[in-house]
Structure formats: C-alpha cells, structure tokens
Amino acid sequence: MTISKKAREIMEANQMNSTMLAFVGDSYYDLKIREMLCKSGVNKPNRLHQLAVKYVSAHAQATTLAYLIEIEFLTEKELEVVKKGRNTKSRSVPRNTDVLTYAHSTAFEALIGYLYLTEQFDRLDAIVSKSIEYKNGVTN
C-alpha cells in the first residue's frame, strides 16, 4: 500500500516540533492580519504597524488563545497541538513580554502552523476569523 503525497505531508506536519509549527504559524497569521488591514483602507505605514500589534503581539495572541479555549472553539487535536506548543522550551523571550505570555503566544502560532501545514484551510480561516472578531470586540 502506498501513501499519497498529501498523507505523507500531513504525517510530516504531525511530527514537526512546535518551534517549526510556530515559525510557520507566525508568518501565516501575520500575513493574514496585514492582508485584513490593507483591505481596511489604512495606508499609513506607522498606523498599519500600530494596528497590527493589536493582533500579532505576544500578548494579543496569548489572550486570543485563552478566549478560543474559554469558548471551547478548539477541537481535541487542536488543544493537543496547543499544549505541545505551550510546553516548548524557548531560549529567548522578547523583552516586552513574560515567559508565560510568550509560551501561550507560541502555542497559538503552533496551532496556526499546524493547521496550515496539514492543509486544514477551512478550519484555519475559521480560527483566524474568530481571532480577528475577538480582537475587534465582536464576540458571539
């Protein structure tokens, strides 16, 4: 029995360490936020940066993850990825955040990276959308 290329890629993503997942997740989430901000009509670089921090800072990502967990938005597998990401040991923590906040931020990024690499794009879009709604104060 042969394994399809997609199945092989998904197995590889499942075996990646959380640092690698977070690396991809950070880039993807940042891109989606930048895309959303550009579509909003803001065209001043300084203002774009100020707005982006509301979504992509370690604090913003950590509080977003806490919200997604609180409203039970994540599946069991997603919570497993989050726990693995949260427990990843980091060699350095940015000056403007604490270790716990950074760990939760990394967990959020690992989740995004996992969903991207396993090609769960509908679920990825749902989580990114829910995250944006939360940061915009729109909660259902």
Side-chain angles (χ1 to χ4, degrees):
M1 182 169 110
T2 60
I3 298 174
S4 71
K5 181 181 177 187
K6 182 175 181 177
R8 203 171 324 113
E9 289 171 350
I10 289 171
M11 285 181 0
E12 288 171 7
N14 280 319
Q15 294 173 356
M16 285 186 180
N17 70 44
S18 296
T19 303
M20 293 167 57
L21 295 175
F23 179 73
V24 171
D26 177 49
S27 296
Y28 182 85
Y29 190 67
D30 188 54
L31 177 63
K32 295 306 282 184
I33 295 304
R34 288 171 184 250
E35 177 184 333
M36 181 263 307
L37 291 173
C38 287
K39 288 179 178 178
S40 75
V42 177
N43 61 4
K44 294 189 178 351
N46 190 41
R47 184 66 181 139
L48 284 168
H49 176 72
Q50 290 172 343
L51 290 170
V53 168
K54 174 181 172 182
Y55 303 91
V56 300
S57 69
H59 178 72
Q61 290 175 343
T63 58
T64 297
L65 177 62
Y67 171 72
L68 294 173
I69 292 169
E70 178 184 322
I71 65 168
E72 299 179 354
F73 194 74
L74 303 179
T75 67
E76 287 300 316
K77 176 60 180 174
E78 291 165 353
L79 287 170
E80 184 182 311
V81 171
V82 164
K83 287 177 186 173
K84 187 176 169 188
R86 184 191 63 213
N87 293 333
T88 298
K89 301 294 180 228
S90 178
R91 293 180 186 207
S92 63
V93 175
R95 288 184 307 239
N96 60 345
T97 191
D98 60 88
V99 173
L100 188 59
T101 299
Y102 190 66
H104 285 94
S105 172
T106 301
F108 178 77
E109 292 170 346
L111 172 62
I112 299 298
Y114 170 78
L115 293 171
Y116 179 80
L117 291 171
T118 56
E119 300 180 6
Q120 297 181 55
F121 299 118
D122 289 341
R123 185 65 181 153
L124 183 57
D125 289 344
I127 288 176
V128 170
S129 293
K130 185 61 86 173
S131 300
I132 291 169
E133 289 173 8
Y134 170 67
K135 285 312 202 184
N136 287 340
V138 180
T139 55
N140 299 347

